[in-house]
Amino acid sequence: MKWQGRRKSDNVEDRRGISGGQVAVGGGIIGIIVLLLNVFGGENAKMLTPVLEQMQQGQQSAPTEQVELTPEQKELGDFAATVFADTEDVWHKIFKENGMTYEEPKMVLFTGQVQTACGGATSASGPFYCPGDKKVYMDLDFFEELRTRFGAKGGDFAIAYVIAHEVGHHVQTLLGTSGKVRQLQAGKSEAQANKLSVCLELQADFYAGLWSHYNQKYIEEGDIEEALSAAHAVGDDAIQSKMQGHVVPESFTHGTSAQRIKWFTRGFKTGDIKLGDTFAEELD
């Protein structure tokens, strides 16, 4: 992706150089479970508050320490800030075209663990969006694990795709989609509620593709393949097959690899926000 020398967002808070603070005792095992269930957490990761609260009950304090970032880490932060600026530009344009005003979210870069308006979270939760403070939370070390553990190709556009996906959840919050889904999930069976969660996540993938469509002047050869590889790697079926050897479709919360690729591709090829009604199509 062509990104160097371009505008970086002012809405990025880099906490990666800060270590210590609240450390969740035993968070590793719980974190792995959270990762498997909530990769690209979206709105659903924030519904893990009871789990996170249990983790926090076992927290102990540790001294806070400032750590110098490496040149590579600084460059990665600059890249993330540039991508975030691109999402601002694109969504301002899309909202204006549809007679609306876009409210910019913020992005927090962190390492290890972080406190949010939605509760505490660890890096194992994967990237996520918190509607309580309208912030995207990113541990950029996650992408190395995505490549080595889950088989994604890697590359900078895989990171761009994830950032755009999480911003897609912010768009859903602004449009009221997320709130409607939470209302619909109330009183539903777990399987029915999961289907609604899948639709929410697939729509965020569509929005990531839509962002890519509007951002084509910065896309290089191989970038879309990197995004599709990441989408495939984090499909519920791919993760369950790799981690437990079999899949349980009724437990899916984010969609299969094929579904995630399908909706990202539709957004990228059409560039039409009106074609992103995953609920109408996937719930038929």
Side-chain angles (χ1 to χ4, degrees):
M1 179 178 174
K2 302 172 185 176
W3 68 274
Q4 292 180 320
R6 297 200 290 109
R7 183 179 79 87
K8 292 181 288 187
S9 174
D10 294 326
N11 291 315
V12 178
E13 179 183 350
D14 196 340
R15 302 182 194 172
R16 291 176 298 161
I18 303 174
S19 65
Q22 294 294 319
V23 181
V25 176
I29 295 175
I30 296 176
I32 291 173
I33 296 172
V34 172
L35 173 63
L36 297 181
L37 296 179
N38 296 276
V39 172
F40 293 9
E43 294 291 325
N44 296 315
K46 270 34 76 229
M47 300 168 74
L48 287 171
T49 301
V51 175
L52 296 172
E53 287 177 347
Q54 290 177 18
M55 291 170 61
Q56 289 176 319
Q57 289 174 3
Q59 287 180 343
Q60 60 186 20
S61 295
T64 299
E65 180 182 358
Q66 190 76 28
V67 179
E68 180 68 23
L69 297 176
T70 67
E72 293 76 15
Q73 289 173 322
K74 291 178 181 178
E75 183 176 73
L76 193 56
D78 288 342
F79 171 75
T82 302
V83 171
F84 207 60
D86 286 342
T87 68
E88 294 166 351
D89 294 341
V90 167
W91 283 109
H92 274 298
K93 178 178 176 61
I94 294 174
F95 269 54
K96 184 177 181 180
E97 289 174 347
N98 288 274
M100 299 179 291
T101 301
Y102 181 63
E103 175 188 346
E104 296 177 357
K106 296 186 181 298
M107 180 168 66
V108 176
L109 306 180
F110 74 97
T111 301
Q113 61 274 330
V114 67
Q115 292 296 321
T116 81
C118 301
T122 70
S123 299
S125 300
F128 64 92
Y129 169 76
C130 173
D133 53 22
K134 293 185 173 63
K135 292 182 180 180
V136 170
Y137 289 87
M138 303 282 295
D139 184 338
L140 296 176
D141 293 339
F142 165 81
F143 296 97
E144 181 62 20
E145 183 171 22
L146 185 65
R147 184 182 67 82
T148 59
R149 188 175 185 186
F150 294 98
K153 286 184 177 179
D156 58 10
F157 207 75
I159 300 175
Y161 155 62
V162 176
I163 293 174
H165 173 99
E166 298 306 335
V167 172
H169 286 304
H170 176 65
V171 172
Q172 290 171 325
T173 296
L174 297 182
L175 296 179
T177 310
S178 301
K180 291 178 182 177
V181 167
R182 285 194 293 271
Q183 291 177 354
L184 290 172
Q185 286 175 321
K188 294 285 194 299
S189 68
E190 183 177 354
Q192 290 173 322
N194 285 344
K195 286 182 179 180
L196 289 167
S197 294
V198 167
C199 292
L200 200 66
E201 294 298 328
L202 294 179
Q203 189 177 67
D205 280 330
F206 173 84
Y207 288 156
L210 189 66
W211 167 79
S212 302
H213 174 89
Y214 276 77
N215 220 43
Q216 289 188 61
K217 61 183 176 181
Y218 301 125
I219 292 177
E220 299 178 301
E221 183 177 356
D223 282 347
I224 296 302
E225 287 75 12
E226 291 172 3
L228 295 178
S229 177
H232 181 276
V234 295
D236 284 322
D237 53 343
I239 291 177
Q240 289 187 3
S241 180
K242 179 178 286 290
M243 303 309 298
Q244 63 190 34
H246 64 280
V247 299
V248 184
E250 59 268 23
S251 71
F252 290 174
T253 57
H254 288 67
T256 65
S257 296
Q259 286 175 311
R260 302 197 74 162
I261 289 173
K262 166 190 169 182
W263 283 101
F264 173 88
T265 302
R266 179 177 295 186
F268 175 65
K269 288 185 175 180
T270 67
D272 187 349
I273 194 173
K274 296 180 178 65
L275 299 179
D277 190 351
T278 55
F279 299 91
E281 187 165 326
E282 296 293 340
L283 293 178
D284 284 344

